[in-house]
Structure formats: structure tokens, C-alpha cells
Amino acid sequence: MSLDDSDRELVVAELGRDPTSAEEALFENLWSEHCAYRSSRPLLSAFESESDDVVIGPGDDAAVVELPSADADSTYITMGIESHNHPSYVDPYDGAATGVGGIVRDTLSMGAYPIALADSLYFGGFDREHSRYLLEGVVEGIADYGNSIGVPTVTGSTQFHEDYEGNPLVNVACVGLLPAERLITAEAQEPGNKLLLVGNSTGRDGLGGASFASEDLGEDAETEDRPAVQVGDPYTEKLLIEANEELVDGQLVESARDLGAAGLGGASSELVAKGELGADIELGRVHQREPNMNAMEILLAESQERMVYEVRPENVEAVSEIAEKYDLGCTVIGDVTDGNYVCEFEGETVVDVPAEFLGDGAPMNDLPSEAPTQPERDLPDADVREAFEAVVGSPNCASKSWVYRQYDHEVQTRTSVLPGDDSAVLAIRRAELGLAFSSGANPNWTTTAPYDGSRAVALENATNLAAKGATPLAAVDCLNGGNPEKPDVYGGFKGIVDGLADMCSELDVPVVGGNVSLYNDSPSGPIPPTPTLAMTGTTEEYDAPPTELTGDGTLLLVGEPAAELGGSEYLAQVGGSDRFPTLPENASERLATLRDVVTGDAALAVHDVSDGGLAVTLAEMVSDDAGATVSLDDVDAHESLFSELPGRAVVETTDPDAVVEAFDGVAPVTELGQANDSGTLQIDADGEGLRYTADEIAELRNVLVRELE
């Protein structure tokens, strides 16, 4: 990419001269879609980001939220999410690994220690060799990096859809933990303070990564764009994590910023711009690992495991000593000033621009859009047994244990509810509460109906938390779309933004930060509009009822017994079309009631209804030790088994009357049958009896292992 002519005219008018080559490259990257959100920022005001618990909302490296606590000493968590989509197509291992590294360093920038990761991954059809190649590389990259730095990957999602064939998505979220007194920000504080670059040396890897992420992938991207992909070093990242702990504990840092998109130029200019200040930087002081690097390369290289710190002059020596202790590079590269953002190299001024203009001067795009329409109802005449086996055994509904068993999800000893459940739960002992964590989206939903499908994504994540007895605290989003210059693509993107914002508002969940990734387009076409949401919630307990049946209770379905099939895995498998299900109007009340039921003594097992519908929910609840007998004779079998209307759950309880009473006037409750010790799922539906042992269900759901090992 190069700086657009109209943008260049704005720069010339502001500077009163032609920009230098280094300035032009800086503007090209920092005014790119990836950094400036030129097509999405006008839409993001739809999100509500404030609440009594929100300490720092959108705009910093990560959001900061206060945990509820009876203790006088406040405990905060940080929440952040980012995408590494284009890099993960070009180089799935390093692309995914460096995505983990970047979101972890965003956490460090706030003074927090990273305690949990979530990965939401989206690939083309699982039957395609290239999709499996990307899946294996991405999972290996996340596992190797996360495991090496000692941060558990505790939750997430893995989806397959043909429209990701030319452009997979890798969205990674991170939660950090800190006491209130450790909080720092990415906002420069005072002229005269020093700017220190700490971490890995700078090379030429990742050059132009921000602009690379702001254009469609070409047919030759895997070879031509490889220099734009960063290379990670998790062992240096681990040293940086521990060094950051000491720096913050010693109160040696005034502000901090991770070097991500646009490298040193992006991080240092954004740091001072947020403080309405400037900087004088000597690029020749930057510690480098390659010879003969020029000013533009030093400014824009996205070499990993680097942080820029604002430090008082009297603390520079102490910071240098800690960096040396951890064998990290450390260089004083310049000063915070009250003037322009200025960079010098070999005695020449190569950059001299107002920092705020560089960071916030990009004009917004006013793009045309076409509102999407929902499909008409055209259902196939499918056999229930064949449909059950196709849906339960589909890659989207199959067990994802092949993915998460590669992650160390118990390091740091906080994970009390493990991956594979509706949501993870972490024991936050300092605040004496559990922190539930869920992340994901469903492209079938948002392809069928971007607005309602996105509302459903928010409701689904909140239901995951409620199934563990947790009350939503806050959320961050990663909004992925295709080329916004295509009106139909931009219309779908607007739909997911508005849908996510509306349901989060309805559920009283502030969206405190996020990321936008557009131009996820390739010769194969645009991706589905994909609103990944990562949501946290709190519960008084560290544990929760399991998803697996105990065999001792009555099975109840909380919510509508049947609904439309639009967006379902059922239609993806057997063909046909339908409108997306109508979502409940009292979603917040339903989830509050579900939380009350889940935390009661009578609840033995709970599992939400989502991907694959009730069929998959029941299949996932059966084990060798417990089964169930279920009757669905009074409803349409297909709509009952396979609708993916969210906000519903199956509850195994010893007191069904109490559950019915709790939901009186809130949501319908249907008795499905009884749990038992048979280890078999028996469903009477549409005049046909379906019977599967736990082993037979496991074999159906084991498709990833069968194909990948």
C-alpha cells in the first residue's frame, strides 16, 4: 500500500510541506484501516462502555474493570482482544503465536499479570486439506507460545465455514489481574521523562504489518506477504512478563505501550498523543539485530516482545538494571516533550509531525451499504436419525478436545472449570470469587441474519456464564468483516455491530474495548461477518454444576421447546433454508432466573443449548456413567432437536417443581424426561426411537481426532 492521494493532501496541508519518506510511511500505516478504524469508528458509538465497575474503557491497550468485593482493597481485571487473521493465513504458526504475544503485552501495559487466554478460531471447510493445514499450524502456534509463557488458554471456540477458505480468523482474548495500586496506562504523563525501549532487538520482520492487514489477501499472499509476518520468541516474552512485574512493583514506570501494529512509530507516537504531548526520539539508539537498517525500517518493523516505557530520569538506572537481570535489551531512545513528535536518524530529522494529528487525524470513510435480507423458509424432508448423526458428528459440533488438550489450561492453578464446559471459571482468591470467561461467535448465525445473529452471539456468551452461575461483568469484541467498500459486505458488518451493541445493552453488559479487522477478503470471496465476543462474569463460587449428567435427576428444558431453524448446523448439513429464530424479549430476566436455579442445591447438571441445538446438548451431557430417556413427541422433532435458539438450557434437577415455579411468567419449562445410570441417550421423537450409547456418541463426535491424528 501507499498513502492515498487525498490523505497525502491532508498531510501536506497540515505540515505545510511534503512529508519525508519516513513520515509518509508512518501516515500510511497509522492511517490504515487496521490502526485508524476509518470505516468502523463511525459505527462503534453504538456500544455502551460505561458502568460503575469500568475503570478504563475503550482506547487504551486494554480495558480495566473492578471486581465486586467486600474487601476495602480493590482488585481489577484487564480485558483485551485482538485479531491476527492475515498473518495466520500466510504463516499459521507464527501468525497465531504472535497474536498471543501481542495481546499479552497489551495486558502488561496496564500493570496487570496475564492470567487467562481465550482463542476463537475460524477456518474453511474441514474437509479441505488446506483448512486442516491452517488449523494444525494455528493451534500449534497458540499452544507453543501460551504454554511457554505460562498463561493458560482456558476457553474459546473453533468454527468451520466455507467462506473462511481464503481468509481464516484468529481472534485471541486475554484477561489480566492486578491490585488497584498497580494500575498504569498508555498515556504519557510529563515532559522531561525518558522513553525506554525494553525487550527484543529490532529486525526487519513484520515490516508494514498494519497496512498488510488493511487490504485484501491476494492469490500469492502465502509467499509475497511473508515478510509482513512477525516471528515470535515466547521465552523472551516470559522474561518480559516477569521484568514488567518488577518494574510495576517498584513504581518505576509512568506509562507503557506494547510495540504492535506500526512498531516503534505506532507505540511511541500513540503514547505521547494520548497525553497531548510530543517526543524527541533518536532512532539510531534502538538496539538492532540486523545491519544497515534505515529510519523507516526502525520505525515500522513489528519485531515482537518489545515495550516502550515512560520513566522518570532518576529511575532510568533502576529500570536498566532490571532489564539486564532478565537479559533484555534496554535503551533510552528519547524524551517526552511538549512539542511535536520528532525522530532523528544519523543527524537528520526524519519525522517532525504533531502527534495527535498522526494518531487521530485520519478522515473517516462514509461508505454505502446494503441491508441484508433473511432467507425464506424452505425446509427439507430429512430423516431424524440421519440428521441427528450428521449434526452431532459435524466438525462444528464435534468435540474440540483435540484443540484444547494441546493447551496448558491449568498453569497458575486458578482454572476450576476446565475447557470443554459452557465457560471456564477461574478462582480469583484475592477477591474471593470465581471469574467465568466465555468467547466465540457462530458464522452460520451471522450469515443468515447479521443483526439477529449477532444479538444471538451476545446472548449465547451470557448464557454460557449463567450456566455456571455467573453474572456478566464486561465484554470485549473483535469485529471481523470483509472488504467494506462492497456495499453488501458493509451492510452485513453494520448489522453485526448494531446487533452486538443492542443485546449487550439489553443484558447490561458494557463493551469496554475491542478490535476491528476488515478487508478479510480474498479471491475466494469475503468472510462471513463475524462478531467474536469475549465476556467475563463473576460468581460467589469457584465451581459450578457440571455439564455431564449425574443420572439422578429430572431433565428440564428451560426456554422454548422448538423454534425456527435458520442459521442451524442442521440446515448446513441437510440443506434448505429458514428464518433466524426470534430471540426472547426478556433475555436478561431469563438469565438471572437461570443463575438462581444453577446456584441452588437441587441443580445437578446444566448445559446451554447452542450449536447443534438440543440434539448436541443432550449428546454432550451423556457419559459412560449416566444417560437419559427423553420424549419429544408433542413438538416438531426437527425444530425441537435442531433449532439453535440461544438463551436456553437443559437442567438436571432433583426438584423440578421449584424450577418450574422459578420460571413462572419468565420462560416456558418443558420436562424432557429422566436421567439414569444407563450411559445411553434414548430419544423418542417423530414416532422414531433414537438410541445411542456414550461410546457411540463419542465416536460420532471424535471427527477432529480421526482426521488429524
Side-chain angles (χ1 to χ4, degrees), residues 265-429:
S268 58
S269 65
E270 290 168 353
L271 183 81
V272 296
K274 283 183 65 68
E276 299 182 353
L277 296 168
D280 282 339
I281 294 175
E282 174 50 65
L283 297 176
R285 296 179 184 173
V286 171
H287 42 290
Q288 303 163 40
R289 65 169 179 265
E290 297 187 38
N292 304 318
M293 292 186 69
N294 61 38
M296 185 180 70
E297 292 171 333
I298 296 169
L299 270 173
L300 294 178
E302 295 181 10
S303 303
Q304 296 293 284
E305 294 86 38
R306 300 182 299 162
M307 301 277 290
V308 61
Y309 293 108
E310 178 192 8
V311 177
R312 293 185 181 278
E314 62 269 24
N315 291 330
V316 168
E317 184 176 352
V319 172
S320 298
E321 289 173 355
I322 291 173
E324 184 177 2
K325 172 183 174 181
Y326 287 96
D327 198 24
L328 296 170
C330 179
T331 310
V332 178
I333 59 170
D335 302 273
V336 178
T337 70
D338 55 7
N340 273 356
Y341 177 75
V342 178
C343 298
E344 296 184 355
F345 184 66
E346 296 181 346
E348 179 184 354
T349 299
V350 293
V351 176
D352 185 355
V353 298
E356 288 184 78
F357 180 68
L358 182 59
D360 293 318
M364 296 297 103
N365 294 331
D366 183 12
L367 300 175
S369 65
E370 293 177 3
T373 59
Q374 286 208 36
E376 297 297 324
R377 187 176 178 89
D378 181 17
L379 299 180
D381 183 17
D383 178 78
V384 173
R385 182 181 301 276
E386 292 178 0
F388 181 92
E389 294 180 5
V391 170
V392 173
S394 70
N396 279 330
C397 298
S399 169
K400 301 305 189 300
S401 62
W402 180 89
V403 175
Y404 60 72
R405 76 186 186 192
Q406 299 186 52
Y407 306 146
D408 186 344
H409 44 260
E410 296 184 272
V411 66
Q412 298 189 27
T413 67
R414 291 188 182 89
T415 315
S416 57
V417 175
L418 304 180
D421 213 307
D422 287 330
S423 70
V425 178
L426 305 168
I428 309 299
R429 299 176 183 90

Side-chain angles (χ1 to χ4, degrees), residues 15 19 27 61 97 116-117 165 205 227 234 255 267 273 304 316 407 419 423 456 464 545 589 595 616 625 691 700:
L15 302 183
F27 279 106
D61 271 4
L117 293 163
E165 176 61 26
D205 53 316
S255 66
Q304 296 293 284
V316 168
Y407 306 146
S423 70
N464 285 338
E589 185 181 10
R595 287 193 293 273
V616 171
D625 299 322
R691 187 180 185 279
L700 282 173

